[in-house]
Amino acid sequence: MRTSLIVKAELFRSKGLLITVGLILALAFSLSAATMMTERMIKESTVRAAESFDLIIGAKNSPTALLFGTVYLRDESLPMVPAEIITELKKSPGIEWFAPMTVGDRAGEAPIVGTTESLATFGGTVPLHSGRMFAHSHEAVVGAASGYRVGDRFFSTHGRSQGSRHEHREAGEISVVGVLDSTGTPWDKAVLVPIEYSYEAHGIPLSGGRLPELSDEALKKLPGFSAVIVKPKSVSDAYKLHGKFNKTTFQDNRKNFVSTTGIFTGEVLVSLFAVLNSAGKALTLVNLLTLVLGLIVVLASGWIISALRADSFTQLRLLGAPPSYIRKVIFSLVLITVAVSLAFGCVLAFAEAEICAYYLSRETGIVMHPTLSFELLQLVFGTFFLACLCAYLQSKLIARKPLS
């Protein structure tokens, strides 16, 4: 007797039940898989966004705030690093390039970063998509997703709320002269201007010309920078510079002494991921419990079908069908339901992760996409193997029921 004929017939007869329990398993599995993919996606994309920032030097402050305010251009209150640090950096060996940066102003919803050409192109690694690099204080190059194009003109603003926002009209308009290639990071939404403009917008003109041309005495009169991005020549140089600027004190333009701190983006992200992993484990546990409940519902369908078709199975047994025949029918029904549910659950998981990626990308400016991973394959095959084992034991118990 061919089991395939009975299985096909039963799939049709019990399609309502099997579709219902299959959807439950698919939804439960998709939640677990989507959570796993989203967590991996967030970690990979945040690390990728920070790859260009080897060493960040700021005033003594929270390393997390320094990371968020510079790498991810979030609104953070960063104390100023005295401009005198430029003199020390010029004398320090092992530096490929360095660039001060100031944040706080905006062009519409785009953050304005006052800096130098070195940071604007990340040492030449990010080419211009169109236009040219800024050459004067009122020129800007913009990120690919900033919403501005070559030739646009605008006033910078300070403050974000309606009551506190005001335009720097006295500083003059900014003219866009170049658009950078897309990097998939928050800097795609940024407007980069010469750091001299940041000072002029706040009533501090640089009488000595461009920042790199200023004398040590002229630097001491400046209020400072939000941070300084440093590109070391080698790993050993990076650790030397990190150690040096973690215990250095500089005097600002108000004669106050300010201690500096140097951070490696990777170290800060590792500590952040450690905190997130604790919350992630709790969420993963909830999702796994949901998945187990989905499996239980699917396995329960085997008992339900055996109860509904008890008379049919009894007749088959009386006609000479062995217990193994009943076992194969039940096992096949449950396994087909599980296999189809997991396939549909994978599709749902990718759709859910893509939705999360879309909203997270809009919020953070970091381009995110879910990807297939070894952990996801482990979850799929682990769930399928567990379902096979449970379905086999279940079908064996059902087949052993005595004839009535």
Side-chain angles (χ1 to χ4, degrees), residues 196-219:
E196 295 83 16
Y197 175 83
S198 298
Y199 293 125
E200 290 176 16
H202 293 85
I204 311 170
L206 268 66
S207 56
R210 301 292 297 275
L211 183 71
E213 302 165 0
L214 295 183
S215 65
D216 293 348
E217 288 302 317
L219 282 171

Side-chain angles (χ1 to χ4, degrees), residues 2-30:
R2 293 174 60 186
T3 58
S4 59
L5 296 175
I6 300 295
V7 170
K8 287 179 182 178
E10 193 55 48
L11 285 172
F12 181 77
R13 291 175 67 187
S14 304
K15 61 179 180 293
L17 172 65
L18 295 176
I19 288 174
T20 301
V21 297
L23 283 174
I24 292 173
L25 177 59
L27 287 170
F29 176 80
S30 70

Side-chain angles (χ1 to χ4, degrees), residues 128-145:
L128 284 167
H129 178 73
S130 61
R132 60 175 175 81
M133 182 53 60
F134 49 65
H136 304 286
S137 62
H138 287 66
E139 294 180 342
V141 293
V142 298

Side-chain angles (χ1 to χ4, degrees), residues 10-131:
E10 193 55 48
L11 285 172
F12 181 77
R13 291 175 67 187
S14 304
K15 61 179 180 293
L17 172 65
L18 295 176
I19 288 174
T20 301
V21 297
L23 283 174
I24 292 173
L25 177 59
L27 287 170
F29 176 80
S30 70
L31 287 173
S32 298
T35 301
M36 181 183 294
M37 284 191 288
T38 302
E39 182 182 358
R40 178 185 176 88
M41 175 179 67
I42 291 172
K43 288 181 178 179
E44 287 181 346
S45 57
T46 50
V47 169
R48 187 178 65 253
E51 281 178 347
S52 299
F53 297 84
D54 293 340
L55 177 63
I56 304 172
I57 301 173
K60 256 328 186 207
N61 191 26
S62 163
T64 304
L66 185 57
L67 177 76
F68 282 1
T70 54
V71 175
Y72 304 112
L73 299 179
R74 310 298 289 176
D75 290 328
E76 297 286 344
S77 179
L78 300 177
M80 301 296 276
V81 183
E84 190 183 3
I85 193 174
I86 297 294
T87 305
E88 189 62 33
L89 285 167
K90 286 178 180 178
K91 296 187 295 185
S92 299
I95 297 178
E96 188 173 325
W97 58 264
F98 67 87
M101 62 178 287
T102 58
V103 294
D105 292 337
R106 306 189 78 82
E109 292 301 315
I112 292 179
V113 180
T115 188
T116 63
E117 185 177 338
S118 296
L119 183 57
T121 60
F122 288 94
T125 59
V126 181
L128 284 167
H129 178 73
S130 61

Side-chain angles (χ1 to χ4, degrees), residues 157-188:
T157 61
H158 190 80
R160 299 199 66 176
S161 61
Q162 195 63 36
S164 63
R165 180 182 298 184
H166 67 275
E167 289 185 335
H168 295 301
R169 287 187 171 272
E170 65 283 354
E173 281 187 315
I174 299 172
S175 177
V176 178
V177 296
V179 179
L180 294 163
D181 268 352
S182 177
T183 61
T185 71
W187 286 69
D188 285 346

Side-chain angles (χ1 to χ4, degrees), residues 301-355:
S301 67
W303 293 100
I304 295 170
I305 290 173
S306 68
L308 292 174
R309 310 292 178 242
D311 291 342
S312 300
F313 290 157
T314 300
Q315 288 176 9
L316 288 171
R317 293 286 301 279
L318 291 173
L319 290 172
S324 60
Y325 184 84
I326 307 300
R327 186 181 71 238
K328 289 178 183 178
V329 171
I330 298 297
F331 181 75
S332 299
L333 286 171
V334 174
L335 215 57
I336 289 171
T337 304
V338 170
V340 173
S341 298
L342 290 180
F344 185 54
C346 285
V347 175
L348 279 179
F350 270 97
E352 292 165 7
E354 278 287 1
I355 292 171

